[in-house]
Amino acid sequence: MIASILPRRREDLKKAVRSGELPEYLEIRLDLLGVDEILDLVKGIPSRKIAACRARRDGGMFDGREEERTAILEEALISGLFAYIDVEMESEAVGLIARHDRQKFIVSYHDLSGTPDDLPDIYRRLSSIEGASFYKLVPFARSLRDNLRVKGILTRANSENVPLISFCMGMHGTLSRVLSIAWGSRGVYASLFREEETAPGQLGYDDLLNVLDIGRINAKTRIFAVLGYPLRHSMSPAIHNALYRDQNLDFVCIPLELPSIDEVFECVDEFNMAGFAVTSPFKRSILKFADHQDEAVKAIGAANTVILKGSSVHAYNTDTEAFSSELKRLVNPGLERFAVLGDGGAASAVAYILRRENAADFRIFSRNEDRGREVSRRFGCIWQDIGALKEYDYSVLVNCTTVGMYPDMESSPIAEDSLKGKLVYDLIYNPEQTKLMRMAAPKGIATVNGASMLLKQAALQFELLTGRKPSEHLMAQTFRDKMLFLDKEKLE
């Protein structure tokens, strides 16, 4: 695996040096800083380094003339500090191969517009350039099927003993970034630091190495994908993959951040998919693909778990039993009046349990009247606009909205003068203390976040997928470790 960094100033490279454990291979992009500006810092990086200077047409940030780019790359080569020099197939710099050590080059092709129809021909032209150590073919995925086209190219390259690095850019290309090594790619690129990506759809180095653990993945590994939009800080991959490693199960949990899920079900067999963890905004729309629904899904009209059993699609809602367990741990539902904030799948799951557990009273509060009234009709309770919350004498507030979730940590779904009762249960778990919870504490109102519910619903998902019981201790430790990692990122 190759980590990549695009330094905009010297401090960016200093940060890399300070970061401690560096990858074996590190691509240093020279789009914005010349070699002479960073040579002293490059010397302090123990990784095997790759120099690249990507023009804007190839997805980079270099705006200079072609001869200037060639000169930058030649200077990097002559310095002796770089193991490889990356040159674009159709650039002037490809001529450097004939003038220098021919085993120090990666010849690349990038297409930011999509995955071209003539991909096999591009591969043929790329691999015919003599003298390179590696070839790199990276198109932009416009659909999940574009990943499969890259897989086909990798299969061909391996049969022809061509040392090819290939995967797809873009949000539709996530599967290829995770699976390409198992498909035969000689490498895959990741950003050295999260949220400092050097290409569209790039994943973080730590995510690929430790969370997704791509070294474990092989051609037979089954995929349990997280479907949602956005998924930037989803805990599910870290939790599920830790459990798979613990029990030596050949599964991998991969985040699939897509604006639509329709195409997912067109290629479940090609990607060896076993099921899905489903989050916002797909908990309702996923049901059109379901052949079977559990009782909770039928009652709620939303699912958070899908298991593929042969050709059948089975939909479940593990949020319900997770919330039920939490609810009875915290209060006696029959003695409390509940204000439920929100009108989505999570609010429906909460309302379903409150009705089943005979809550003394509960009401739905939201800003969207149509959706709110739909939830209230389904579960036989009252809907009110969120502005009317202060008039309701509730004892327990359950926040089922995403308002206050990272990175929007200074927002609250309600005003402080609407807070009352004895307990605020916020289903958000990142941050651990939301603004809503911080507002409640000075009033003497107990607060609980959604971490325990998250872990309980994930444990039920794991059982549905594997038929095994997970380690609750491992799940809790993984969650804590991941939260510490995210907190460190926030500080940086």
Side-chain angles (χ1 to χ4, degrees), residues 264-490:
V264 174
F265 285 86
E266 297 174 1
C267 46
V268 292
D269 292 334
E270 291 94 327
F271 286 114
N272 201 22
M273 289 179 174
F276 308 99
V278 188
T279 185
S280 178
F282 303 128
K283 289 185 176 183
R284 296 188 188 281
S285 60
I286 195 84
L287 297 186
K288 65 185 176 183
F289 300 103
D291 300 306
H292 304 279
Q293 301 177 15
D294 74 359
E295 180 184 336
V297 171
K298 291 176 182 176
I300 294 166
N304 76 326
T305 308
V306 165
I307 304 298
L308 305 176
K309 301 179 180 181
S311 61
S312 294
V313 179
H314 295 249
Y316 305 89
N317 195 305
T318 65
D319 285 335
T320 53
E321 295 312 312
F323 178 72
S324 177
S325 174
E326 280 288 277
L327 180 68
K328 289 182 279 191
R329 177 178 70 85
L330 296 167
V331 295
N332 182 340
L335 301 178
E336 309 296 344
R337 296 176 305 280
F338 295 83
V340 180
L341 304 183
D343 48 33
S348 293
V350 167
Y352 169 74
I353 291 300
L354 292 176
R355 173 59 62 202
R356 194 183 75 180
E357 300 299 334
N358 299 310
D361 186 38
F362 66 97
R363 298 183 185 183
I364 305 297
F365 292 86
S366 71
R367 290 184 170 83
N368 188 303
E369 182 173 355
D370 290 341
R371 291 203 303 261
R373 287 196 183 280
E374 180 187 347
V375 176
S376 66
R377 279 195 299 270
R378 187 183 288 266
F379 299 105
C381 64
I382 293 172
W383 171 85
Q384 289 182 273
D385 183 85
I386 204 162
L389 181 64
K390 64 176 68 176
E391 308 302 326
Y392 177 46
D393 187 26
Y394 63 87
S395 55
V396 179
L397 179 74
V398 185
N399 177 35
C400 302
T401 77
T402 59
V403 179
M405 184 166 62
Y406 180 82
D408 190 25
M409 296 185 291
E410 293 307 313
S411 295
S412 169
I414 62 172
E416 192 169 349
D417 60 3
S418 294
L419 267 174
K420 65 185 78 164
K422 66 183 193 181
L423 174 65
V424 167
Y425 191 163
D426 197 331
L427 268 57
I428 293 170
Y429 57 82
N430 183 15
E432 292 182 79
Q433 288 283 321
T434 62
K435 183 174 182 180
L436 177 64
M437 295 168 68
R438 298 197 307 270
M439 285 163 38
K443 295 188 173 193
I445 303 171
T447 61
V448 177
N449 71 14
S452 291
M453 181 174 166
L454 169 78
L455 295 177
K456 284 184 171 69
Q457 66 82 26
L460 292 169
Q461 287 179 329
F462 180 82
E463 288 185 51
L464 287 169
L465 179 68
T466 68
R468 300 189 182 192
K469 292 281 187 183
S471 164
E472 293 182 7
H473 172 75
L474 176 62
M475 294 179 75
Q477 185 61 54
T478 302
F479 176 82
R480 286 192 295 269
D481 290 347
K482 187 64 176 173
M483 285 299 298
L484 286 171
F485 180 80
L486 293 176
D487 287 342
K488 180 183 176 184
E489 282 192 336
K490 292 171 196 173

